[in-house]
Amino acid sequence: MAKLYSKRKLATQKMLPKKETLRLILQYSRALNIVKFGNVNFDFIAN
């Protein structure tokens, strides 16, 4: 039997990130350092 994909879903759930995910992204962005030297960019991650 063919599946009908044209039917609308009743409601979509709001997806929110976990606190751990936000913390990881913020810590990564704080540790990332980009230095431009001429036409070259150097990316450093300070752990």
Side-chain angles (χ1 to χ4, degrees):
M1 178 179 257
K3 190 170 185 176
L4 299 176
Y5 291 99
S6 61
K7 290 185 181 179
R8 298 182 116 202
K9 293 184 179 180
L10 296 177
T12 57
Q13 293 180 352
K14 228 180 200 183
M15 297 178 65
L16 298 174
K18 294 181 182 178
K19 288 183 181 180
E20 295 85 18
T21 306
L22 290 176
R23 188 178 309 130
L24 177 72
I25 292 171
L26 287 174
Q27 287 175 351
Y28 179 79
S29 66
R30 288 181 194 140
L32 181 64
N33 189 11
I34 300 173
V35 177
K36 187 172 183 179
F37 186 75
N39 293 336
V40 182
N41 290 337
F42 294 99
D43 302 340
F44 299 102
I45 299 176
N47 287 343

